[in-house]
Amino acid sequence: MVLKETTVNKKALSAIYKNIKKHSPHPKKVKIIAVTKGFSWSTIQSAISNNLFFIGENKTQETKKKLENKTDKIKIHMIGHLQSNKAKEAVLLYDTIQTVDSYKIANKINKEAKKINIKQKILIQINISNNKNQHGINIKEATPLAMEIQKMNNINLIGLMAIGPQTKDKKKIGERYKELYEKQQWLQKNISKKIKELSIGMSEDYTQALKNSATIIRIGRGLFGSRLK
């Protein structure tokens, strides 16, 4: 496993902070997830030194290797697809699992969390593009899944997550993000007040996400440059 060593681009980080203030209706609520998949532990250290304490990782094996040096300062988010056979590792590794997209995986996480007596934070992943190549449930399935998850004693459902449409059409991106925001607001009002997070937006489209009330933006390349191929 070859991981790239790099540091935070401070100029880019400054621009992100400016965009948060400019575009978000609630800038103080916005959290930046520094996506360090494919990057070394020294990259995470650079994030910490720049006051970026929310770290995004994709694969349990890579995360486990890097977290040998973990500090209590950081909160690790699972932002990659999670298979049910990796649920045990994920509950041990991640503070928040953002990519729950089925009752099966939620139930597995709940069982593993119960074994170690924790309440695992999760987000439900929605496929807002209806793209067969992306994970996540249809937005219409969010309400029944959220209702089922609320019955699980060792899960704390805190929000919704999505990957934006693969298009440069800002209007279309904005429409999909607005739809997801409205669903999150409905769930927060009718299912649980804890469903307050909206994890949308990456390096290419985070400004559109901010305009549509994102509380979490996931930035990798925009902070660290390209990964090793």
Side-chain angles (χ1 to χ4, degrees):
M1 187 187 301
V2 180
L3 301 173
K4 183 177 180 179
E5 292 193 15
T6 189
T7 57
V8 170
N9 181 325
K10 293 185 178 183
K11 185 177 180 180
L13 179 58
S14 178
I16 291 168
Y17 282 131
K18 287 179 182 177
N19 279 324
I20 289 172
K21 289 181 180 179
K22 181 179 179 181
H23 297 296
S24 175
H26 43 61
K28 291 183 179 179
K29 293 183 180 180
V30 178
K31 293 177 280 293
I32 300 171
I33 302 282
V35 180
T36 55
K37 65 174 184 177
F39 294 112
S40 66
W41 172 251
S42 65
T43 302
I44 296 177
Q45 288 178 306
S46 174
I48 294 168
S49 67
N50 284 277
N51 297 314
L52 296 169
F53 301 115
F54 296 98
I55 304 299
E57 287 284 324
N58 274 49
K59 297 180 180 179
T60 55
Q61 184 181 0
E62 181 183 330
T63 307
K64 192 173 183 180
K65 179 181 178 181
K66 288 194 278 195
L67 290 196
E68 291 173 356
N69 303 303
K70 186 184 176 185
T71 168
D72 289 338
K73 285 184 177 181
I74 57 176
K75 299 294 183 183
I76 309 294
H77 285 236
M78 172 62 157
I79 59 170
H81 177 64
L82 179 62
Q83 297 175 319
S84 58
N85 64 347
K86 297 289 186 179
K88 182 176 181 178
E89 275 189 311
V91 167
L92 292 169
L93 287 171
Y94 301 105
D95 298 283
T96 302
I97 300 170
Q98 291 203 18
T99 51
V100 174
D101 61 358
S102 69
Y103 176 86
K104 178 182 177 182
I105 189 64
N107 191 44
K108 184 72 173 176
I109 290 169
N110 185 57
K111 288 179 179 178
E112 295 300 335
K114 184 178 180 180
K115 290 177 184 178
I116 58 174
N117 195 32
I118 68 165
K119 200 155 186 175
Q120 178 67 54
K121 291 180 181 179
I122 71 159
L123 286 81
I124 294 175
Q125 182 174 0
I126 310 296
N127 188 336
I128 56 174
S129 307
N130 296 318
N131 185 335
K132 294 179 180 179
N133 296 319
Q134 291 180 357
H135 295 285
I137 61 170
N138 186 285
I139 196 166
K140 294 178 181 178
E141 299 173 299
T143 298
L145 181 56
M147 291 174 70
E148 289 300 315
I149 289 173
Q150 284 302 109
K151 300 173 186 177
M152 300 178 185
N153 294 329
N154 290 85
I155 282 185
N156 182 10
L157 174 60
I158 62 169
L160 302 180
M161 177 266 205
I163 295 170
Q166 293 180 332
T167 176
K168 292 183 179 180
D169 186 340
K170 291 183 179 180
K171 183 179 178 181
K172 186 174 181 179
I173 294 169
E175 288 172 349
R176 296 285 81 79
Y177 281 159
K178 181 181 179 182
E179 185 181 6
L180 190 66
Y181 166 68
E182 289 172 350
K183 173 60 71 173
Q184 176 266 320
Q185 289 287 291
W186 189 93
L187 292 172
Q188 186 178 22
K189 181 178 178 180
N190 295 280
I191 304 295
S192 170
K193 292 179 181 179
K194 294 180 180 179
I195 306 175
K196 61 184 180 180
E197 302 291 357
L198 189 61
S199 176
I200 50 176
M202 298 189 288
S203 297
E204 301 84 1
D205 66 353
Y206 77 89
T207 56
Q208 289 299 110
L210 290 170
K211 290 175 183 178
N212 287 280
S213 296
T215 63
I216 298 171
I217 54 175
R218 310 180 303 270
I219 312 293
R221 189 168 63 254
L223 283 171
F224 305 114
S226 59
R227 299 175 181 86
L228 295 175
K229 293 183 179 180

